[in-house]
């Protein structure tokens, strides 16, 4: 039994103020905020697996970019007239800054143990071909005119791009047009590490964490609140099932959120469906390769590919170890969770969402074709995608890992038909007694803004009184950004740690390219 969990012989309290279903980044963030605002409220976390952050919050199940729209092209679509729409990029950048403000506050007050979950890692976009170079140039012009992106660099010069990320240019055809943008302010975030620290802080401040507890149904309680039926999945459980009542329930169960909200039978979930997409990554810990690439580099998605399948070659720092990761390679599985049931998709079908599901399928035949193509593609064909980024890549240095499941939201559109929505969606009951989060990217990076939204929608009477306290933690909520220098210092502290760890992996020596890149990051 994990040390964070309630010991198996302890009888559970049968009534609590708040139940959080799922021990991932969303529940951990919301629970932390609630404890900051209402420290006397009782909070219980119910997690079906045997530890926290094992599904979408696990670092190998997500991209971990710290989505700030610095490099992701799907957040800056091109309009019919050729102009670039940066509105979504600006919104996501602002949301990520809110997350950084809260993390900085929690570190400064000792609620988070250390900044090891976040590291300064430049964010880059890399494209090939004249058409894509022209698009990237126009994207840079539009973004860099906005104050949030004023430090974004653009270059078509091979020597400059080589200085930023040597693996992108080595052995590349000199006649091929290429371009890149770079932001030194990017980050790599280990959301598993962050989630564990947040949950530890919650438990230290009185929250209950119960692992191997699966919520099987939710029913309204007469007079207000919810009764949850909970299955104890531990091998020696006695009794096997129990119930708990709560005044407020948050469903932060990733892909498992949809069936749980359906079980609650709230009208607001009608018409919603979910399309599961699985994926794979290639990963290497080879010290020589890792030392040559200190960046997260996003490219352009194939035609028909979902936004979550945008190819990227990333620096990752997980549990003190530095890696490179490339992908994702999309696939299909009917499961809603990586460690879930194969009938997840089938059992989520309802009379009220069947039309939405079928309508979205008809509208996204190109996505279906793309997924089929990815599933049947030969390994050597998939590896060629990495070689388009890194011409010198060799299969002997890379291993395949399975990514987490992503469930794309399907909802009714204005004409009553289904539409596949790329993003996240908060679904809350009209009385605010239950809420859940559906969807995928940008997900974890915008968890703080999403959970503040949950608080505002579900606790409208208390929110006005809470807002001044929230603004002390996240000044941008009142339009006053936190001290960027202090936040940058927090990130730099973690970066120094990761550089020291990289040196240890490489026999105590860092290549000159790493020294140069670290100097760049410090300005």
């Amino acid at each position: 039994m994990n040390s964070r969990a309630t010991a198996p012989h302890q009888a559970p309290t049968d009534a609590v103020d708040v139940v959080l279903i799922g021990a991932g980044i969303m529940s951990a963030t919301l629970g932390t905020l609630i404890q900051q605002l209402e420290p006397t409220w009782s909070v219980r976390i119910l997690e079906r697996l045997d530890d926290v952050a094992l599904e979408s919050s696990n670092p190998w199940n997500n991209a971990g970019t710290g989505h700030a729209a610095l490099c992701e092209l799907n957040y800056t679509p091109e309009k019919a007239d050729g102009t670039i729409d940066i509105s979504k990029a600006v919104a996501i950048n602002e949301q990520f800054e809110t997350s950084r403000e809260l993390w900085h506050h929690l570190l400064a007050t000792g609620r988070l143990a250390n900044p090891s979950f976040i590291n300064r890692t430049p964010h880059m976009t890399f494209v090939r071909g004249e058409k894509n170079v022209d698009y990237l140039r126009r994207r840079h012009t539009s973004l860099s005119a906005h104050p949030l992106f004023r430090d974004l660099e653009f270059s078509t010069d091979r020597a400059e791009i080589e200085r930023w990320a040597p693996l992108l240019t080595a052995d590349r055809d000199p006649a091929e047009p290429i371009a890149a943008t770079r932001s030194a302010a990017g980050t790599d975030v280990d959301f598993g590490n962050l989630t564990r620290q947040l949950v530890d802080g919650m438990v230290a401040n009185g929250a209950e964490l119960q692992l191997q507890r699966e919520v099987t149904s939710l029913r309204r309680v007469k007079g207000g609140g919810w009764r949850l039926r909970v299955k104890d999945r531990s091998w020696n459980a006695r009794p096997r099932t129990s119930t708990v009542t709560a005044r407020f329930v948050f469903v932060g169960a990733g892909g498992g959120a949809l069936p749980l909200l359906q079980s609650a039978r709230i009208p607001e979930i009608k018409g919603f469906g979910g399309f599961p997409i699985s994926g794979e990554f290639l990963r290497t810990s080879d010290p020589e390769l890792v030392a040559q690439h200190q960046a997260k580099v996003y490219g352009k998605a194939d035609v028909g590919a979902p936004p979550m399948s945008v190819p990227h070659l990333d620096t990752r720092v997980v549990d003190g170890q530095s890696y490179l990761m490339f992908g994702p390679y999309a696939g299909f599985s009917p499961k809603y969770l990586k460690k879930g049931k194969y009938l997840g998709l089938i059992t989520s079908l309802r009379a009220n969402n069947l039309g939405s599901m079928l309508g979205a399928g008809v509208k996204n035949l190109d996505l279906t074709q793309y997924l089929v193509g990815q599933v049947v593609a030969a390994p050597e064909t998939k590896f060629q995608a990495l070689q388009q980024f890194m011409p010198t890549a060799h299969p002997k240095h890379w291993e395949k890992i399975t990514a987490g499941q992503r469930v794309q939201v399907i909802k009714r559109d204005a004409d009553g038909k289904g539409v596949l929505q790329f993003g996240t969606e908060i679904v809350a009951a009209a009385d605010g007694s239950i809420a859940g989060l559906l969807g995928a990217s940008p997900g974890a990076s915008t968890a703080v803004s999403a959970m503040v939204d949950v608080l505002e929608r579900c606790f409208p009477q208390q929110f006005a009184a809470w807002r001044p306290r929230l603004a002390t933690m996240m000044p941008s909520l009142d339009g006053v950004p936190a001290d960027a220098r202090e936040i940058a210092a927090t990130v730099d502290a973690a970066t120094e740690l990761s550089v020291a760890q990289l040196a240890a992996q490489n026999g105590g020596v860092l290549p000159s390219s790493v020294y140069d890149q670290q100097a760049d990051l410090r300005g």
Side-chain angles (χ1 to χ4, degrees), residues 328-340:
Y329 299 96
F332 175 76
S333 167
K335 296 196 295 186
Y336 273 179
L337 292 165
K338 186 176 180 179
K339 298 182 180 181

Side-chain angles (χ1 to χ4, degrees), residues 148-467:
L148 291 175
F149 299 90
R150 61 178 176 270
D151 296 328
L152 189 65
E153 302 172 82
F154 171 84
S155 182
T156 57
D157 182 75
R158 286 175 178 265
E160 181 77 353
I161 296 173
E162 181 178 1
R163 187 176 69 83
W164 292 347
L167 296 182
L168 300 180
T169 58
D171 285 356
R172 185 172 295 281
D173 181 358
E176 181 180 35
I178 62 174
T181 58
R182 177 180 183 266
S183 171
T187 55
D188 171 63
V189 182
D190 180 345
F191 285 105
N193 180 327
L194 174 59
T195 300
R196 291 191 294 270
Q197 290 197 48
L198 289 172
V199 171
D200 285 345
M202 289 177 61
V203 172
N205 283 272
E208 273 186 283
L209 170 64
Q210 294 187 352
L211 301 174
Q212 296 182 299
R213 301 299 199 276
E214 182 176 8
V215 177
T216 58
S217 67
L218 301 96
R219 295 291 182 268
R220 284 191 182 274
V221 175
K222 187 176 181 179
W226 293 87
R227 179 176 291 108
L228 291 72
R229 188 171 180 82
V230 183
K231 178 181 179 181
D232 189 335
R233 292 164 53 92
S234 57
W235 69 273
N236 61 343
R238 296 293 185 276
R240 179 63 67 180
T241 61
S242 61
T243 59
V244 58
T245 59
R247 293 192 300 115
F248 172 73
V249 176
F250 174 70
V251 186
L258 175 61
L260 285 170
L261 290 169
Q262 289 174 331
S263 172
R265 301 176 182 174
I266 57 174
E268 291 78 9
I269 197 62
K270 290 182 178 180
F272 277 93
F275 186 79
I277 299 176
S278 62
E280 296 174 340
F281 283 96
L282 295 176
R283 180 178 67 186
T284 181
S285 59
D286 184 290
E288 183 177 350
L289 294 178
V290 172
Q292 294 181 70
H293 189 83
Q294 300 293 306
K296 290 184 176 294
V297 184
Y298 272 57
K300 206 170 190 303
D302 293 333
V303 176
M308 62 164 291
S309 295
V310 172
H312 45 96
L313 179 61
D314 291 359
T315 296
R316 296 305 312 269
V317 181
V318 178
D319 296 329
Q321 174 82 18
S322 295
Y323 303 82
L324 296 185
M325 184 172 77
F326 177 79
Y329 299 96
F332 175 76
S333 167
K335 296 196 295 186
Y336 273 179
L337 292 165
K338 186 176 180 179
K339 298 182 180 181
K341 301 174 181 178
Y342 280 97
L343 294 177
L345 174 60
I346 301 300
T347 56
S348 73
L349 296 177
R350 300 287 191 277
N352 62 61
N353 71 5
L354 188 58
S356 301
M357 298 282 280
L358 293 174
V362 171
K363 291 180 179 179
N364 292 274
L365 292 177
D366 56 345
L367 172 59
T368 303
Q369 294 171 350
Y370 170 80
L371 293 177
V372 170
Q374 287 272 290
V375 170
V376 302
E380 55 270 24
T381 300
K382 292 183 177 181
F383 198 79
Q384 289 173 1
L386 170 58
Q387 292 173 326
Q388 290 177 358
F389 264 75
M390 177 186 167
T392 58
H394 192 285
K396 68 180 181 180
H397 297 129
W398 298 81
E399 63 176 335
K400 182 178 70 176
I401 63 172
T402 301
Q405 285 289 103
R406 296 291 181 269
V407 179
Q408 304 297 147
V409 177
I410 293 175
K411 59 187 295 188
R412 292 188 184 126
D413 57 13
D415 61 8
K417 298 178 181 179
V419 59
L420 193 64
Q421 177 174 306
F422 297 105
T424 52
E425 180 92 15
I426 294 171
V427 178
D431 65 357
S433 62
I434 186 171
L437 186 98
L438 305 176
S441 181
S445 300
T446 59
V448 174
S449 292
M451 295 305 99
V452 170
D453 190 12
V454 168
L455 291 174
E456 186 171 14
R457 292 175 60 177
C458 295
F459 301 95
Q461 295 181 337
Q462 294 98 325
F463 193 80
W466 290 345
R467 190 170 186 89

Side-chain angles (χ1 to χ4, degrees), residues 84-120:
I84 307 299
D85 183 358
I86 69 169
S87 58
K88 187 171 184 178
V90 171
I92 290 174
N93 189 280
E94 291 173 340
Q95 290 170 344
F96 183 62
E97 285 306 306
T98 301
S99 292
R100 284 171 37 124
E101 287 175 2
L102 178 64
W103 301 338
H104 176 72
H105 170 83
L106 296 175
L107 285 163
T109 57
R111 186 63 183 257
L112 285 172
N114 60 71
S116 57
F117 61 88
I118 187 168
N119 289 276
R120 182 70 68 85

